[in-house]
Amino acid sequence: MEEQQSLWFFMAQQSGKLWSQTVAHIGLTCISLLIAIAVGLPLGILIARRKKAAWLVLGIAGVLQTIPSIALLGFMIPLLGIGALPAITALFLYALLPIIRNTYTGITGVNPAITESARGMGMSPWQILTSVELPLAMPVILAGVRTATVINVGVATLAAYIAAGGLGEFIFGGIALNNTQMILAGAIPAALLAVLFDVLLSLLQKTGLESMRKISIILPVLLLFLSSFYLIPYTKGKLLAGFTPEFMGREDGYLGLKSKYGLDIPTVVISDAVMYKAAFEEKLDVISGYSTDGRLKAFDLVTLHDDQHIFPPYYAAPVVRSQVLGQYPELQPVLEQLSGYINDSVMTELNYRVDYLKQAPDRVAHDFLVSKNLYQPPRNGSKGTIRLGSKIFAEQYILIQMYKELIEGNTDLKAITKTGLGGTKICFDALNNAEIDMYPEYTGTGLLAVLKPRGEQLAKLGGDREKVYDYVKNEFLKQYKLQWLRPIGFNNAYALMMRRAQAQSLNIQSITDLKNYATNGSHRH
């Protein structure tokens, strides 16, 4: 009951943003659906007339349907950039198959005797199509539109990954922030939209033959009207920021920028995977990033000085289940071997090799251990198995591979890796529920995304590295029976970033400089 109340409270508190995301979600779904009907209906009619082409057209549409949605969006970015265009294109491709297939099935299913009678009455092929075949096939065609609509409502949540908006912003932000209310605030409206659209289309589907002729006009007009709901962010020449879903919901992120700095800048939500390249290609001017990310060097970006200190320390350390450390006491000294070997510049270089030079994380990890004389050949691994997890970015892949090699070279344990577990919530829940035994975490994330202390406790810690680490270590052990081991040595803090040339030309060195520039309403360079 308390969970329900807090969910309604969160939704009421975020009602303005929730409404704008819902409207954008409807717009994205309807634009792509309208284009899919405009293309899929003629294609379905064409292959109903030329049945030899049916297998080819349906085969291509079927292949497009099988491509994972996140991969399809990834393919679109190099071609179409970020924002609305790649999202709408991907959604359009997903909607094609059910519309083409059902149009083909509906028209070929019309009784030949009826079309022969119409032809005998002197009707032209066009009249037969529009007055006989399409009205009779309309219930089947609408079934395809229903399927396409439900698919698109679901897939449209992924549009948030490429700065196209929609309800995915709340869903992915909640996953990253370990915030169930935020996940549900995005997921519930998305599910209700799918149900609502499905019910409305099912009512249309059940109307009589005479009404079917009207529906063929009303449905496109209605979709066109709903498509106008989608508004592409317009920055009026100002700087444009792109922040990850996680950053948008954090006190040491967008919320802190607004409350402590008073920063007011046009903002889109975007995935970490494409954010840096978008800044490099001048699609975005300001991004949220990590201070040790290799793409800083790759794309010649600079971090802005955090002069109001909203970003706490983010020292990386292994977090392990206490039960596992009790069972295998030899594990702790092995996992702490990395401590002192990797500082900020070393981690940035390792990330650069993976993010930009496209070297495999396991190769980068192995080479580093060899260079520091930390590598030992694997033993037999007969004593037991340690399950290592990681979040979904290069730095974690590198660290987890190092831990795997250290464990297998220095103990009789076998290590298996479960990489790419998404954001903080997924990794933490997996560890807390004994699905994995260890993953690398950051003190600032443990503090703000998991423990979420009150304002007075945060003020006591004051961003002090040792105090934050001790607090997080003690609370994780007390609340969750999870043990923080010694920090590795680098601080992967949040940072705001700009292209070096742009920051220099605008004389922006700190977040306060950015705030002052944004307030003055100057134009993009």
Side-chain angles (χ1 to χ4, degrees), residues 175-449:
I175 290 169
L177 285 165
N178 192 27
N179 188 328
T180 306
Q181 280 79 33
M182 191 180 282
I183 297 170
L184 292 173
I188 290 171
L192 290 176
L193 277 182
V195 171
L196 178 65
F197 283 144
D198 192 53
V199 168
L200 291 175
L201 286 167
S202 73
L203 292 175
L204 289 179
Q205 201 179 344
K206 290 170 185 169
T207 55
L209 181 61
E210 197 54 44
S211 301
M212 285 297 170
R213 294 187 175 92
K214 294 176 186 173
I215 287 167
S216 62
I217 299 166
I218 293 168
L219 186 60
V221 172
L222 184 62
L223 285 174
L224 193 60
F225 169 69
L226 292 173
S227 298
S228 67
F229 283 18
Y230 185 71
L231 298 174
I232 297 167
Y234 179 54
T235 63
K236 298 179 183 173
K238 293 180 183 177
L239 297 177
L240 179 63
F243 299 145
T244 63
E246 179 167 0
F247 189 85
M248 288 295 290
R250 292 177 72 129
E251 285 296 338
D252 61 328
Y254 184 67
L255 301 178
L257 290 175
K258 289 185 79 172
S259 61
K260 279 203 177 179
Y261 282 98
L263 183 67
D264 184 19
I265 183 171
T267 303
V268 295
V269 177
I270 188 168
S271 163
D272 166 76
V274 296
M275 180 175 61
Y276 291 85
K277 197 162 189 291
F280 175 70
E281 292 175 349
E282 302 185 15
K283 304 278 195 325
L284 298 171
D285 302 296
V286 182
I287 61 170
S288 59
Y290 303 99
S291 57
T292 59
D293 200 296
R295 290 166 290 189
L296 263 169
K297 176 179 174 182
F299 296 129
D300 198 26
L301 305 174
V302 291
T303 59
L304 303 183
H305 176 55
D306 175 23
D307 47 315
Q308 297 286 330
H309 308 294
I310 68 162
F311 302 131
Y314 277 81
Y315 284 90
V319 184
V320 195
R321 292 196 300 122
S322 298
Q323 183 186 344
V324 172
L325 290 178
Q327 190 176 355
Y328 305 114
E330 68 270 33
L331 195 58
Q332 181 167 345
V334 171
L335 292 174
E336 290 183 337
Q337 278 189 33
L338 283 184
S339 187
Y341 278 98
I342 305 177
N343 59 23
D344 292 8
S345 58
V346 169
M347 196 69 244
T348 302
E349 180 61 31
L350 296 175
N351 285 331
Y352 172 75
R353 287 174 59 183
V354 174
D355 284 325
Y356 191 68
L357 299 182
K358 303 302 178 190
Q359 296 177 8
D362 53 352
R363 170 50 54 189
V364 171
H366 178 77
D367 289 349
F368 177 80
L369 293 181
V370 170
S371 72
K372 301 297 179 185
N373 296 318
L374 293 173
Y375 176 74
Q376 298 290 334
R379 297 190 194 174
N380 58 25
S382 58
K383 190 174 178 182
T385 300
I386 306 296
R387 298 159 301 169
L388 311 178
S390 85
K391 299 183 190 181
I392 194 162
F393 53 95
E395 180 168 290
Q396 293 255 323
Y397 294 158
I398 295 167
L399 291 174
I400 220 66
Q401 184 62 30
M402 288 184 188
Y403 286 126
K404 176 179 166 63
E405 293 194 11
L406 287 172
I407 291 167
E408 293 185 339
N410 292 280
T411 73
D412 290 319
L413 297 166
K414 179 177 174 56
I416 58 170
T417 59
K418 297 188 177 185
T419 54
L421 291 178
T424 301
K425 178 172 175 55
I426 295 173
C427 274
F428 176 75
D429 284 352
L431 186 66
N432 201 30
N433 295 319
E435 299 292 331
I436 57 173
D437 300 312
M438 168 267 172
Y439 80 99
E441 188 53 281
Y442 306 89
T443 52
T445 301
L447 178 71
L448 294 167

Side-chain angles (χ1 to χ4, degrees), residues 30-45:
C30 292
I31 293 169
S32 54
L33 198 60
L34 185 64
I35 300 168
I37 291 170
V39 173
L41 197 65
L43 272 175
I45 294 166

Side-chain angles (χ1 to χ4, degrees), residues 466-483:
E466 296 301 328
K467 284 182 183 175
V468 169
Y469 174 74
D470 288 341
Y471 177 79
V472 168
K473 180 178 179 179
N474 293 334
E475 290 300 313
F476 263 63
L477 192 57
K478 186 164 70 179
Q479 294 184 36
Y480 306 110
K481 294 188 170 58
L482 300 176
Q483 179 72 55

